[in-house]
């Protein structure tokens, strides 16, 4: 890095940590750690992640995710808690963070997606509608008048990973057959309760009839995403929609929604995360 | 072991292998291996499992499960394929096995449960109805006039294990609250598509409100088993029912069915497995 960062943006989850060295809204450099945190001391893991971005002078490090607490209850603005701060005992780092949000009924929580919503709203002021954020957990978030009104979290991604590992060898390298995907989504929306049986049937067809991996993967992801759409219908039916995500999974959610006559705008997840953290950082330093 | 076994019964799955040293229907001794097979040579793993039961003279080893092939298509008798045999190159072992069964539409397969059905029918001749076999996969099997007519496999147990690990610390040591379980089953049968969201809500309530582990575990298992019951309704509604299983999980299926007004007889799984293998062994040696 030739230029020193003005601040550092960090998104922290139990399975992946990302850091961006920032000057205003410009990304100077990036660092990623994948897999569980290897130490019980988060401060040590954080310093390890951002060490390449540090110099002798102090820098603001603005984080979101599971490093901090869960704060306010919805309905509320995504960044309504203000930023927390912790003295790390390292003069190079001024650690700050965005708190997560909770929902009382049905009980739910988010730690990180409130920042992505704030980022999306900073780039799309006055936007009302529903934001879907796919991933290991997928989250449907109803936004109105600058506030998060309600949300619901699904464990679809966790289940998809478990089943893909058992059913589709070399799943990450296998593309998804588009026609089989859309058909599986429609089947699952019609009969969402069959998802656990349908998944085994794909496995049986792979073992007995040599089902092509592209079809197996499409049916598996289509079945799981379709079941989620069946349960999340109140969130997407007749609403203005945005999918905040990245890569193939985000595109599959957009395709699945489009096939139900529900067009969704696709917004780049890392960009929304950084924009949300930048908003929190500017609020703090202004 | 004071008495030499007349034959050895083996049930083989990717996650657990069990062997019983048998004299007729009497169990002389038992051996179990849990976890994935550690060698790519199944013959070696099998010898390791049964080594304590072997002597200088040859003994019949009758297996079911994933050691052998998948054979006939339903509808057919559970043991309709006869036994396969393989020369292991070890004079002490005469290896025999029961083949699995397949279903053409919807595509499905079983490797082991056909033997449990044969065992159940050998002890309950003329029985017609539906046998539910819970486990890592749970299977609903329609039996009529001594034949397996149709069946359906659900991946409920795999999902339950994944979620329990993430949501309920020390899950194996935690009992299930009976009232919360029955309520969760009823909720899931009414709204089976919500299962992926309900599971995350349990996690959120555990994190935010200190939900008791007994309640969390009851809601998780009740939600997953209830979703399965919603999809398996054509199998259990108005049918004579038996649950072939063991321990807490089998009892939970019986309780869940009873709460829907569908009483099920509980049959001990290891006993049914041995009875099925004994039937196959006697057919072979008679």
């Amino acid at each position: 890095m030739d230029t020193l960062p003005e601040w550092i943006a960090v998104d922290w989850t139990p399975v992946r940590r990302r850091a961006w060295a920032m000057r205003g809204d410009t990304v100077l450099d990036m660092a990623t750690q994948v897999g569980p945190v290897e130490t019980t001391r988060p401060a040590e893991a954080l310093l390890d992640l951002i060490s390449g971005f540090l110099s002798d002078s102090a820098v603001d490090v603005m984080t979101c995710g599971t490093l901090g607490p869960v704060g306010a209850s919805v309905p509320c603005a995504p960044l309504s808690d203000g930023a927390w701060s912790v003295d790390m005992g390292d003069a190079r780092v001024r650690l700050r963070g965005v708190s997560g949000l909770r929902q009382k009924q049905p009980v739910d929580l988010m730690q990180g997606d409130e920042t992505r919503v704030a980022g999306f709203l900073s780039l799309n002021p006055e936007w009302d509608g529903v934001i879907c954020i796919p991933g290991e957990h997928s989250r449907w978030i109803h936004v109105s008048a600058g506030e998060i009104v309600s949300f619901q979290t699904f464990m679809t991604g966790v289940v998809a990973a478990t089943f893909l590992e058992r059913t589709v060898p070399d799943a990450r390298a296998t593309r998804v057959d588009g026609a089989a995907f859309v058909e599986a989504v429609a089947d699952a929306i019609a009969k969402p309760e069959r998802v656990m049986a349908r998944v085994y049937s794909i496995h049986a067809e792979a073992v007995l009839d040599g089902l092509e991996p592209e079809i197996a993967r499409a049916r598996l992801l289509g079945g799981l995403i379709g079941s989620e759409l069946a349960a999340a219908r109140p969130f997407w039916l007749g609403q203005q929609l945005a999918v905040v995500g990245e890569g193939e999974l985000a595109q599959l959610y957009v395709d699945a929604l489009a096939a139900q006559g529900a067009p969704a705008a696709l917004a780049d997840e890392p960009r929304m995360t950084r924009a949300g953290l930048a908003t929190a950082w500017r609020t703090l330093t202004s």
Side-chain angles (χ1 to χ4, degrees), chain A:
Chain A
M1 241 179 354
D2 293 334
T3 317
L4 280 183
E6 191 178 8
W7 65 290
I8 298 172
V10 171
D11 181 45
W12 190 276
T13 82
V15 296
R16 184 177 63 157
R17 274 90 44 214
R18 294 174 294 174
W20 296 271
M22 304 292 294
R23 180 151 286 275
D25 296 321
T26 305
V27 177
L28 303 176
D29 202 354
M30 197 204 159
T32 306
Q33 288 174 351
V34 176
V37 180
E38 281 167 16
T39 162
T40 51
R41 284 167 292 188
E44 202 173 278
L46 178 65
L47 281 175
D48 187 36
L49 176 68
I50 63 173
S51 59
F53 305 159
L54 298 178
S55 65
D56 290 339
S57 50
V59 66
D60 290 323
V61 177
M62 179 57 74
T63 75
C64 66
T66 54
L67 207 54
V70 179
S73 292
V74 297
C76 63
L79 303 180
S80 55
D81 268 333
W84 53 265
S85 68
V86 164
D87 183 354
M88 282 182 66
D90 187 314
R92 298 172 299 170
V93 175
R94 284 189 299 264
L95 182 61
R96 311 277 186 252
V98 175
S99 298
L101 298 180
R102 70 184 75 204
Q103 177 173 273
K104 284 187 177 145
Q105 195 55 40
V107 180
D108 211 328
L109 67 87
M110 64 171 81
Q111 289 177 284
D113 285 346
E114 73 295 325
T115 302
R116 285 175 262 287
V117 170
F120 183 85
L121 289 177
S122 77
L123 298 166
N124 303 274
E126 313 289 317
W127 191 91
D128 280 0
V130 171
I131 298 176
C132 169
I133 309 185
E136 199 192 29
H137 305 117
S138 62
R139 204 162 268 125
W140 294 78
I141 304 168
H142 184 195
V143 173
S144 179
E147 291 203 330
I148 293 178
V149 178
S150 67
F151 63 100
Q152 189 156 30
T153 310
F154 292 82
M155 292 188 81
T156 311
V158 176
V159 177
T162 302
F163 286 159
L164 278 170
E165 198 180 294
R166 286 166 178 259
T167 302
V168 186
D170 205 15
R172 278 172 192 278
T174 305
R175 70 174 198 95
V176 163
D177 181 276
F181 174 77
V182 167
E183 195 185 321
V185 169
D187 284 354
I189 290 180
K191 299 272 184 190
E193 73 278 10
R194 292 205 186 150
V195 61
M196 299 289 160
R198 203 178 284 111
V199 165
Y200 191 83
S201 186
I202 298 165
H203 170 72
E205 216 169 321
V207 170
L208 296 176
D209 302 339
L211 183 68
E212 285 173 38
E214 287 81 4
I215 305 284
R217 190 148 183 267
R219 287 201 196 152
L220 198 69
L221 289 169
L224 291 169
I225 293 173
S227 293
E228 180 181 323
L229 290 193
R233 197 189 298 262
F235 280 91
W236 55 263
L237 200 66
Q239 293 280 357
Q240 179 163 229
L241 296 172
V243 171
V244 170
E246 199 184 15
E248 180 195 48
L249 188 66
Q251 190 59 54
L252 289 177
Y253 273 80
V254 170
D255 292 349
L257 285 164
Q260 314 320 311
L266 181 55
D268 183 60
E269 179 275 310
R271 190 163 165 242
M272 299 305 126
T273 302
R274 291 191 305 263
L277 288 167
T279 303
W281 174 68
R282 290 206 173 94
T283 305
L284 193 78
T285 53
S286 66

